[in-house]
């Protein structure tokens, strides 16, 4: 990004390297302020708002350019003078400033308009910065935010004539600040389009980071194609960024268009960011291009197994339909799972946790199920009961993991350092407890989501022997006297239930009612069912043969009306008793 300011899709990007504002004057004379005021006035005119009619009447003009010019000049004056002093030197503004309440209403409205935009600030790591040379990456955004707050307050004081009694120190600069740099990596033939797209090196979040994407559910499956889709794509490197991720030991480059900046930024709460020394001069295992423009009017969510270059490539074209974090997260994990299947490992759509009870008993528990089955909610039930039962709890994965056979044991590995959790099904206080490090998506809507870090990369890659492997049954109710946990006696019985992947849809996708998905995992296994069937039989036979893993069902009741909260909690209590039994 070379321009000092850009605005697209209600997202603002401020290039601190091209221009860093550290005075009121530099802000008010910047291209960014001009653009913000222009867009604000254009929208006010379209709505015929009170503010616009006020300007129209008091400035005697219908020209947006003239109104913008006059307002900019008045705001400049207000950083130095009171209303009375301005009227003395320029009587032409007397009529506008006569009604101070209406002018303050405009200032408040403009400030609110600015704060409702998604604001991203950008620093280029290796370039000379104009006005930023002595300011560190973390200080740059904080100082800019303070400057905007001071500007807003100074103007208000000079209009009303006195200082406010209450100050609210809210983030007024960027919601997030990123440091980017050029990265040299091994680009095979067919990937030239991605050349010179900057890599994200650091991210600074102003939490809670709240976004309002246009979509709240994901639809359909990712399908395989037999050609490189980049051949027909168009990418303007000025509008693109790359998030380098470490996912389950694989190097992944996730490229995204600026229109989906909030999803790209959210990746930092979900996947470990690769360091420069882990990326430079290397070829990635996975490449995902999210939001590319092409000549195809249909939504394209595809992947290409580039065997020649040993790269698994994902591609989703630009559309408002993909403005949901699930599209960037799930495709990335699909690509990862496809590689795992190729290498003889079994992808698991579920959650894995190491639980240490206060009694000292310990177990590694895996709960498998498709979206909305109750995997994450069960983990939260464990956490909610921790004060009474648990001394320590470590999450290994909370959506997607991998089973590997090592030393005659089934070992579980994670992929993500964070969790993409449905707010509707969590304890009401949980979101508030995690607010200081969370990213919220559409918190006012159905299927509202929270993305929060839950584990370290070192921990998820350590490898843990599996003790319990449960299928999350969210559709069967539990009557008095019945158990929430039950076990299978043969691998055939277990495989039948796990492969059916039945669940009561909870609104996380566009599905409704009782639905099924192959092995509860439409993200890799469903696309490669033949290869996955071989792995399923191999791994389940091993679990029953060794007796190391207890395989069964856990009835979460998440899809049963009236039992959504109690189900996971009661199942968790029953599980704690089972952990005590295996340790005796």
């Amino acid at each position: 990004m070379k321009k000092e300011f850009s605005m697209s899709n209600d997202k603002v990007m401020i290039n601190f390297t091209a221009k860093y504002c550290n005075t009121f004057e530099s802000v008010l004379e910047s291209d960014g302020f001009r653009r913000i005021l222009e867009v604000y006035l254009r929208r006010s005119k379209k709505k015929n708002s009170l503010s616009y009619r006020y300007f129209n009447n008091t400035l005697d003009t219908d020209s947006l350019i003239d109104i913008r010019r006059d307002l900019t000049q008045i705001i400049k004056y207000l950083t130095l003078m009171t209303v009375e002093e301005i009227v003395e030197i320029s009587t032409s503004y007397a009529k506008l400033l006569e009604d101070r309440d209406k002018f303050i209403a405009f200032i408040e409205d403009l400030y609110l308009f600015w704060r409702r935009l998604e604001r991203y600030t950008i620093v280029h790591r290796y370039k000379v910065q104009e006005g930023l040379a002595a300011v560190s990456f973390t200080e740059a955004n904080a100082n800019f935010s303070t400057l905007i707050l001071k500007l807003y307050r100074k103007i208000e004081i000079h209009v009303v004539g006195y200082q406010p009694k209450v100050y609210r120190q809210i983030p007024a600069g960027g919601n997030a600040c990123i440091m980017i740099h050029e990265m040299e990596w091994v680009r095979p033939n067919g990937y030239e389009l991605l050349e010179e797209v900057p890599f994200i090196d650091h991210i600074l979040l102003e939490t809670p980071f709240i976004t309002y994407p246009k979509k709240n559910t994901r639809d359909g499956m990712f399908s395989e194609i037999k050609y490189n889709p980049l051949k027909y794509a168009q990418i303007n490197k000025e509008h693109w960024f790359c998030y380098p991720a470490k996912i389950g030991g694989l190097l992944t480059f996730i490229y995204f268009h600026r229109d989906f900046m909030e999803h790209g930024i959210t990746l930092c709460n979900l996947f470990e960011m690769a360091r420069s020394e882990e990326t430079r001069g290397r070829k990635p295992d996975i490449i995902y291009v999210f939001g590319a423009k092409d000549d195809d009017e249909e939504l394209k969510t595809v992947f290409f197994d580039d065997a020649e270059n040993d790269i698994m490539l994902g591609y989703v074209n630009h559309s408002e339909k993909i403005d949901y974090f699930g599209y960037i997260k799930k495709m990335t994990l699909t690509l990862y799972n496809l590689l795992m299947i190729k290498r003889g490992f079994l992808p698991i759509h579920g959650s894995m946790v190491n639980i240490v009870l206060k009694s000292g008993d310990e177990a590694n528990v895996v709960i498998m199920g498709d979206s909305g089955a109750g995997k994450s909610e069960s983990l939260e039930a464990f956490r909610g009961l921790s004060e009474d039962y648990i001394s320590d709890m470590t999450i290994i994965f909370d959506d997607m993991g991998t089973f590997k056979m090592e030393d005659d044991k089934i070992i579980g590995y994670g992929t993500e350092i964070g969790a993409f959790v449905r707010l509707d099904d969590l304890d009401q206080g949980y979101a508030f407890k995690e607010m200081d490090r969370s990213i919220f998506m559409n918190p006012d809507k159905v299927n509202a989501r929270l993305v929060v870090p839950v584990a370290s990369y070192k921990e998820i890659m350590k490898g843990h022997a599996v003790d319990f492997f449960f299928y999350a049954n969210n559709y069967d109710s539990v009557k008095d006297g019945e158990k929430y946990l039950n076990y299978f006696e043969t691998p055939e019985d277990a495989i039948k239930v796990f492969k059916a992947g039945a669940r009561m849809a909870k609104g996380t996708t566009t599905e409704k009612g009782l639905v099924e998905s192959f092995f509860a995992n439409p993200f890799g296994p469903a696309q490669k069912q033949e290869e996955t069937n071989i792995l399923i039989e191999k791994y389940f036979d091993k679990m029953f043969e060794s007796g190391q893993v207890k395989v069964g069902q856990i009835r979460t009741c998440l899809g049963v009306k009236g039992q959504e909260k109690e189900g996971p909690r009661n199942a968790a209590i029953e599980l704690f008793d089972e952990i005590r039994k295996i340790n005796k």
Side-chain angles (χ1 to χ4, degrees):
M1 178 180 172
K2 292 178 181 176
K3 294 190 294 184
E4 67 178 68
F5 182 91
S6 69
M7 186 173 178
S8 173
N9 202 24
D10 279 347
K11 294 171 179 61
V12 166
M13 293 184 199
I14 306 165
N15 186 348
F16 278 173
T17 305
K19 179 165 184 170
Y20 183 66
C21 298
N22 52 13
T23 65
F24 294 159
E25 186 179 20
S26 60
V27 169
L28 298 175
E29 290 182 351
S30 68
D31 180 55
F33 181 77
R34 178 186 61 79
R35 290 278 306 280
I36 292 294
L37 192 51
E38 274 181 2
V39 174
Y40 169 80
L41 290 172
R42 197 159 54 241
R43 294 185 184 182
S44 294
K45 183 176 182 178
K46 187 176 180 181
K47 290 191 299 182
N48 197 27
S49 68
L50 289 173
S51 290
Y52 180 75
R53 282 178 289 179
Y54 171 57
F55 302 142
N56 207 357
N57 293 331
T58 56
L59 293 173
D60 297 322
T61 179
D62 195 37
S63 167
L64 290 181
I65 295 175
D66 291 341
I67 293 173
R68 176 184 58 77
R69 190 183 300 117
D70 286 339
L71 288 175
T72 302
Q73 187 60 56
I74 291 168
I75 291 171
K76 282 182 181 179
Y77 284 154
L78 284 168
T79 62
L80 300 169
M81 296 178 278
T82 64
V83 168
E84 291 82 4
E85 290 169 332
I86 294 172
V87 173
E88 277 185 26
I89 65 168
S90 181
T91 54
S92 59
Y93 297 136
K95 192 176 178 183
L96 177 69
L97 295 171
E98 185 178 8
D99 191 333
R100 298 190 190 195
D101 289 340
K102 286 185 178 176
F103 192 82
I104 282 294
F106 150 65
I107 294 296
E108 292 283 355
D109 199 36
L110 176 62
Y111 183 57
L112 186 61
F113 170 72
W114 161 253
R115 291 196 59 249
R116 280 177 175 166
L117 297 170
E118 285 181 23
R119 309 176 306 276
Y120 303 96
T121 56
I122 299 168
V123 177
H124 290 256
R125 183 175 178 181
Y126 297 116
K127 293 186 179 179
V128 177
Q129 296 109 13
E130 180 189 321
L132 191 58
V135 183
S136 74
F137 165 68
T138 53
E139 290 173 338
N141 198 56
N143 292 349
F144 179 66
S145 183
T146 301
L147 180 67
I148 300 299
L149 266 176
K150 283 182 177 178
L151 175 60
Y152 161 69
R153 289 170 179 166
K154 179 73 75 174
I155 292 166
E156 285 225 327
I157 289 169
H158 280 164
V159 175
V160 299
Y162 55 85
Q163 293 195 0
K165 288 292 185 183
V166 178
Y167 291 93
R168 294 176 178 86
Q169 199 70 12
I170 46 184
N175 302 117
C177 184
I178 62 172
M179 181 178 282
I180 60 174
H181 64 119
E182 304 296 329
M183 176 61 69
E184 288 298 325
W185 56 279
V186 179
R187 293 185 192 85
N189 291 335
Y191 296 85
E192 294 81 6
L193 203 63
L194 304 177
E195 198 166 358
E196 297 183 7
V197 172
F199 277 58
I200 295 175
D201 191 55
H202 289 86
I203 294 178
L204 173 73
L205 285 180
E206 290 280 358
T207 55
F209 185 75
I210 303 173
T211 67
Y212 296 90
K214 292 182 175 65
K215 297 292 179 183
N216 230 32
T217 56
R218 180 188 48 78
D219 190 18
M221 281 176 55
F222 305 114
S223 55
E224 185 173 12
I225 56 175
K226 298 298 183 181
Y227 62 89
N228 186 336
L230 295 181
K231 185 177 180 182
Y232 305 99
Q234 301 142 26
I235 287 180
N236 179 350
K237 65 182 181 182
E238 295 296 318
H239 299 165
W240 281 78
F241 301 91
C242 177
Y243 182 90
K246 293 192 294 184
I247 303 176
L250 300 185
L251 182 61
T252 303
F253 291 171
I254 305 172
Y255 290 86
F256 58 92
H257 190 274
R258 68 179 184 183
D259 284 352
F260 308 106
M261 190 75 171
E262 72 272 35
H263 304 312
I265 294 294
T266 300
L267 289 169
C268 73
N269 263 17
L270 193 72
F271 296 127
E272 180 79 0
M273 188 188 296
R275 299 189 304 273
S276 297
E277 58 269 27
E278 297 172 317
T279 307
R280 188 173 290 107
R282 286 187 57 189
K283 178 182 69 65
D285 303 288
I286 295 169
I287 291 177
Y288 180 20
V289 178
F290 182 73
K293 295 181 179 177
D294 54 33
D295 295 330
D296 198 335
E297 293 182 4
E298 295 294 318
L299 178 61
K300 193 184 295 180
T301 56
V302 297
F303 65 89
F304 170 56
D305 184 357
D306 187 355
E308 183 181 343
N309 292 309
D310 193 24
I311 290 175
M312 194 65 71
L313 171 65
Y315 178 89
V316 174
N317 57 353
H318 195 287
S319 169
E320 281 194 0
K321 294 177 182 177
I322 64 164
D323 193 7
Y324 174 59
F325 187 66
Y327 280 99
I328 197 167
K329 166 191 161 75
K330 294 298 190 182
M331 173 63 96
T332 303
L333 292 171
T334 298
L335 301 171
Y336 173 82
N337 287 343
L338 290 166
L339 276 178
M340 291 297 99
I341 293 168
K342 281 183 74 174
R343 297 178 185 184
F345 306 129
L346 184 63
I348 301 296
H349 189 195
S351 300
M352 180 176 185
V353 61
N354 170 260
I355 297 174
V356 181
L357 300 180
K358 286 186 174 181
S359 61
D361 299 318
E362 179 180 357
N364 297 313
V365 181
V366 179
I367 301 173
M368 186 182 117
D370 204 351
S371 297
K375 311 178 297 293
S376 299
E377 292 74 18
S378 296
L379 294 189
E380 296 316 317
F382 297 160
R383 186 179 281 110
L385 291 164
S386 61
E387 200 170 302
D388 297 326
Y389 295 88
I390 298 174
S391 68
D392 197 25
M393 179 173 132
T394 304
I395 293 175
I396 314 306
F397 55 85
D398 187 13
D399 188 44
M400 207 69 72
T402 308
F403 281 179
K404 299 181 181 181
M405 286 189 193
E406 297 175 3
D407 300 325
D408 213 35
K409 291 183 178 179
I410 304 295
I411 307 296
Y413 290 89
T415 55
E416 304 149 290
I417 59 169
F420 181 44
V421 186
R422 184 178 143 97
L423 274 175
D424 305 42
D425 296 318
L426 295 179
D427 178 77
Q428 288 183 350
Y430 178 77
F432 293 101
K433 293 174 189 173
E434 299 297 327
M435 186 174 286
D436 60 339
R437 61 195 189 122
S438 297
I439 297 174
F440 292 84
M441 297 174 180
N442 287 328
D444 57 332
K445 296 181 182 177
V446 174
N447 199 35
R449 290 287 184 146
L450 170 75
V451 186
V452 60
V454 294
S456 69
Y457 183 72
K458 184 178 180 181
E459 194 64 50
I460 68 173
M461 291 306 299
K462 190 184 291 183
H464 294 73
V466 179
D467 296 308
F468 291 95
F469 186 29
F470 292 109
Y471 182 78
N473 176 334
N474 77 337
Y475 48 88
D476 282 340
S477 63
V478 178
K479 298 173 184 175
D480 290 342
E482 290 185 336
K483 286 189 168 293
Y484 285 83
L485 307 181
N486 55 70
Y487 297 101
F488 298 107
E489 295 187 1
T490 67
E492 290 76 20
D493 289 341
I495 288 172
K496 184 178 179 181
V497 170
F498 278 80
K499 278 174 65 172
R503 80 187 196 284
M504 186 65 68
K506 290 282 293 174
T508 59
T509 66
T510 54
E511 298 169 307
K512 293 181 180 179
L514 189 65
V515 296
E516 293 185 352
S517 59
F518 176 74
F519 202 51
N521 197 343
F523 313 109
Q527 289 84 350
K528 298 289 180 182
Q529 294 192 24
E530 189 176 329
E531 296 89 336
T532 305
N533 275 325
I534 296 170
L535 293 172
I536 290 171
E537 290 192 17
K538 177 183 174 182
Y539 278 78
F540 274 79
D541 285 346
K542 182 66 180 176
M543 284 186 265
F544 279 85
E545 175 193 312
S546 66
Q548 167 213 345
V549 184
K550 298 192 75 173
V551 183
Q553 283 191 89
I554 182 167
R555 289 192 275 186
T556 67
C557 302
L558 205 66
V560 180
K561 193 170 182 180
Q563 297 186 33
E564 300 95 330
K565 300 293 182 186
E566 286 300 307
R569 185 180 186 278
N570 292 336
I573 293 172
E574 206 168 293
L575 176 61
F576 297 153
D577 290 334
E578 292 296 304
I579 293 173
R580 291 191 190 96
K581 288 179 187 176
I582 68 163
N583 281 273
K584 285 182 180 178

